[in-house]
Amino acid sequence: MDRCVVLVDAGYLLGAAASLLAGDPSRSRVTVDHTALITALRERAEAETGLPLLRIYWFDAAPDRRPMPEHRRLRVLPRVTVRLGALTRAEGRWVQKGVDAAMHAELSELARNRACADVVLITGDGDLLPGMMSAKEHGVVVHLWALQAADGDFNQSEDLVGEADERRVLDREWIEGSFSLREAATVFPAPGPRHEIAKILAAPPAAAVAAAGRPANGSPAPAAVAAVAGPVGRPQPAAALKVVPTPKDLAGRAVAPHPVTAANGSGPVLRWSSDRGWVDRPVPEPAVTAGDTLPTLAQLTTAEQRWADREEDITTIGGDAHEVGQVFARRWTERLGDVERLTVLWPDYPRIPHRVDGELLRYAARFGLLAHKDDQIDEHDRYAIRAGFWKELAARVPGGDLVVDD
């Protein structure tokens, strides 16, 4: 049938929208205009697929599968069907059960019965991969929609992205058309105790007063009692307890200078045990070059840029070792802004600053590079990654063509 269907994973949609707008995935942080949301979904789905909408399926969870007020509002809207899984409490947090299975079953049934030609999936869960593959085998075109993620993390299964026929991202502007931040409730401070109660609580226990002022013969000592009780009508604070420092406290304290160190003015020392007793040896300081003072890519990247980088990595970067090094270098130079600062790298070529090199290799690991092959780390990939890094810098930073060989 020449119609389209929209399947919405409400947990993904609402949680990702709350993360983007409020910085917190809790759905309670945002208010949803359900009528506007359904209208926007329908209009966008029909525009993307070029087909009329058959139905929007809304998959969510609720305690005992009983509809919540929002579910009741949704199910009375035209062309909307609500499917509920169970919401259970496990290890102190709410967990939904049966939602993924229901989406998988509905997707497979729609494709098998040829009820639609195109399906729009709004989800990030990789568990729907078999259902997506089954729908494609029945001739259904699968459109995968994602929500923009402001925290820099990729919020959708890479397997789903790779299997989808078409993919779109719902950006902040689109989301703000149906979602808004919920105003935080005013928190009032708890009322303090009444004056006479506070006075009683602040006074030392009678047993402590008696024990502190009783001499050896058992009779109370007036002077001691007076010292503890203080002036009449004015309670005195109890004596401070002796606090034993924890290892964390001890680690934070300043270390007293060693006599030998204080005498010769040298830096910190290590003490080595030998047959001759303890031997003090100075700690060697690592060599620091001008390149080590440059900021890393992570320090130059905003949260939204991290998300955009992840989108580019998933959708356009092939994962070739040389290409990975070039992409990293391109982002680093563009976000640093002043490429003249990078000219300090040329005297140290081919050495990459330690922090940047570690960041480069961690980035390459995303693409499966540097993996163990026959129990050996592939050094060829390391060389190719770094060669791509230097080649991109040479094309962007003045003086690089004189240093970097092709």
Side-chain angles (χ1 to χ4, degrees):
M1 298 291 290
D2 293 337
R3 296 176 295 187
C4 68
V5 171
V6 180
L7 275 62
V8 180
D9 181 351
Y12 169 77
L13 175 62
L14 303 181
S19 295
L20 180 64
L21 301 182
D24 184 348
S26 175
R27 294 161 55 163
S28 61
R29 296 295 306 277
V30 293
T31 300
V32 187
D33 184 342
H34 292 97
T35 302
L37 176 60
I38 295 300
T39 301
L41 289 173
R42 177 173 184 168
E43 292 176 352
R44 178 136 187 175
E46 291 180 340
E48 291 283 347
T49 63
L51 300 174
L53 176 75
L54 172 63
R55 190 174 297 115
I56 295 176
Y57 289 90
W58 186 273
F59 295 88
D60 204 356
D64 298 327
R65 301 179 187 266
R66 294 181 178 177
M68 304 294 286
E70 62 179 288
H71 302 139
R72 298 181 184 277
R73 288 194 296 268
L74 281 164
R75 68 184 185 181
V76 298
L77 296 176
R79 303 292 183 95
V80 177
T81 296
V82 177
R83 297 279 190 260
L84 294 179
L87 192 63
T88 60
R89 193 78 171 175
E91 298 181 356
R93 62 188 185 92
W94 290 104
V95 179
Q96 61 181 22
K97 300 289 185 181
V99 174
D100 297 337
M103 290 189 70
H104 180 282
E106 198 71 55
L107 178 59
S108 301
E109 193 70 15
L110 288 168
R112 188 180 304 111
N113 294 329
R114 302 187 181 278
C116 59
D118 290 49
V119 168
V120 175
L121 279 179
I122 305 177
T123 184
D125 197 338
D127 291 342
L128 281 178
L129 182 62
M132 177 186 290
M133 297 172 65
S134 175
K136 291 176 62 177
E137 291 173 357
H138 285 86
V140 174
V141 178
V142 179
H143 304 254
L144 183 65
W145 290 2
L147 268 73
Q148 178 180 345
D151 57 3
D153 294 331
F154 196 70
N155 60 7
Q156 204 167 41
S157 166
E158 296 182 16
D159 293 332
L160 286 181
V161 175
E163 191 66 28
D165 294 308
E166 301 285 346
R167 184 169 179 272
R168 297 290 183 270
V169 175
L170 306 178
D171 58 14
R172 179 188 292 269
E173 182 180 358
W174 188 93
I175 294 169
E176 288 177 343
S178 308
F179 293 84
S180 59
L181 282 174
R182 189 187 301 273
E183 295 182 1
T186 305
V187 179
F188 295 95
R194 290 181 297 177
H195 176 70
E196 58 272 16
I197 298 177
K199 182 176 179 180
I200 295 173
L201 294 177
V209 174
R214 185 178 296 114
N217 59 8
S219 60
V225 174
V228 175
V232 177
R234 182 179 302 171
Q236 298 296 317
L241 297 176
K242 184 178 180 180
V243 179
V244 179
T246 65
K248 183 178 179 181
D249 296 331
L250 295 175
R253 295 180 179 178
V255 180
H258 191 274
V260 177
T261 305
N264 57 23
S266 61
V269 297
L270 291 176
R271 306 192 70 192
W272 300 82
S273 177
S274 69
D275 296 338
R276 295 177 297 172
W278 290 98
V279 180
D280 295 330
R281 296 182 180 178
V283 178
E285 296 184 359
V288 179
T289 65
D292 292 319
T293 63
L294 293 171
T296 63
L297 178 61
Q299 294 172 332
L300 299 170
T301 303
T302 65
E304 295 204 10
Q305 284 175 329
R306 284 198 302 273
W307 172 78
D309 290 346
R310 193 65 169 160
E311 285 283 327
E312 183 183 14
D313 293 342
I314 296 300
T315 56
T316 62
I317 307 301
D320 174 73
H322 202 269
E323 179 192 18
V324 167
Q326 288 183 294
V327 170
F328 183 93
R330 168 176 57 81
R331 292 173 182 170
W332 191 40
T333 54
E334 288 177 351
R335 289 167 196 174
L336 186 63
D338 184 9
V339 295
E340 294 288 343
R341 296 178 60 186
L342 295 177
T343 56
V344 298
L345 297 176
W346 301 136
D348 297 324
Y349 173 82
R351 177 188 177 274
I352 300 176
H354 179 70
R355 292 187 304 158
V356 177
D357 188 55
E359 190 179 36
L360 170 61
L361 296 181
R362 288 192 297 273
Y363 171 66
R366 294 183 185 176
F367 300 90
L369 301 172
L370 311 177
H372 291 266
K373 300 175 182 178
D374 299 329
D375 295 329
Q376 297 292 327
I377 298 178
D378 194 343
E379 291 295 330
H380 176 75
D381 285 345
R382 290 178 181 265
Y383 290 128
I385 293 165
R386 290 166 175 151
F389 173 86
W390 283 115
K391 181 178 180 180
E392 187 70 17
L393 283 186
R396 292 172 173 270
V397 181
D401 53 339
L402 304 177
V403 178
V404 180
D405 297 329
D406 291 335

Coordinates of all heavy atoms in Angstrom, one line a residue, residues 256-269:
A256 N 56.0 17.6 54.3 CA 57.1 18.4 54.8 C 58.4 18.2 54.0 O 58.7 17.1 53.6 CB 57.4 17.9 56.3
P257 N 59.1 19.2 53.8 CA 60.3 19.1 52.9 C 61.4 18.2 53.6 O 61.5 18.2 54.8 CB 60.8 20.5 52.8 CG 60.3 21.2 54.0 CD 59.0 20.6 54.3
H258 N 62.0 17.4 52.8 CA 63.0 16.5 53.3 C 64.2 17.4 53.6 O 64.6 18.4 53.0 CB 63.4 15.5 52.2 CG 64.3 14.4 52.6 ND1 65.7 14.5 52.7 CD2 64.0 13.1 53.1 CE1 66.2 13.4 53.2 NE2 65.2 12.5 53.4
P259 N 65.0 17.0 54.7 CA 66.1 17.8 55.1 C 67.1 18.0 54.0 O 67.6 19.1 53.8 CB 66.7 17.0 56.3 CG 65.6 16.2 56.8 CD 64.7 15.9 55.7
V260 N 67.4 16.9 53.3 CA 68.4 17.1 52.2 C 67.9 18.0 51.1 O 68.6 18.8 50.6 CB 68.8 15.7 51.6 CG1 69.7 15.8 50.5 CG2 69.4 14.8 52.7
T261 N 66.6 17.8 50.8 CA 66.0 18.7 49.8 C 65.9 20.1 50.2 O 66.2 21.0 49.4 CB 64.5 18.2 49.5 OG1 64.6 16.8 49.2 CG2 63.9 19.0 48.4
A262 N 65.6 20.4 51.4 CA 65.5 21.8 51.9 C 66.9 22.4 51.9 O 67.0 23.6 51.7 CB 64.9 21.8 53.3
A263 N 67.9 21.6 52.1 CA 69.3 22.2 52.1 C 69.8 22.6 50.8 O 70.4 23.6 50.6 CB 70.2 21.1 52.8
N264 N 69.6 21.7 49.8 CA 70.1 22.0 48.5 C 69.1 22.6 47.5 O 69.5 23.0 46.4 CB 70.7 20.7 47.8 CG 69.7 19.6 47.7 OD1 68.5 19.9 47.7 ND2 70.1 18.4 47.6
G265 N 67.9 22.8 47.9 CA 66.9 23.5 47.1 C 66.4 22.7 45.9 O 65.8 23.2 45.0
S266 N 66.6 21.4 45.9 CA 66.2 20.6 44.7 C 64.7 20.2 44.8 O 64.1 20.5 45.9 CB 67.1 19.3 44.6 OG 66.9 18.5 45.8
G267 N 64.2 19.5 43.8 CA 62.8 19.2 43.8 C 62.5 18.0 44.6 O 63.3 17.5 45.5
P268 N 61.3 17.3 44.4 CA 61.0 16.2 45.2 C 61.9 15.0 45.0 O 62.5 14.9 43.9 CB 59.5 15.8 44.7 CG 59.5 16.5 43.4 CD 60.3 17.7 43.5
V269 N 62.0 14.1 45.9 CA 62.9 13.0 45.8 C 62.2 11.7 46.0 O 61.1 11.7 46.7 CB 64.1 13.1 46.8 CG1 64.9 14.3 46.5 CG2 63.6 13.1 48.2

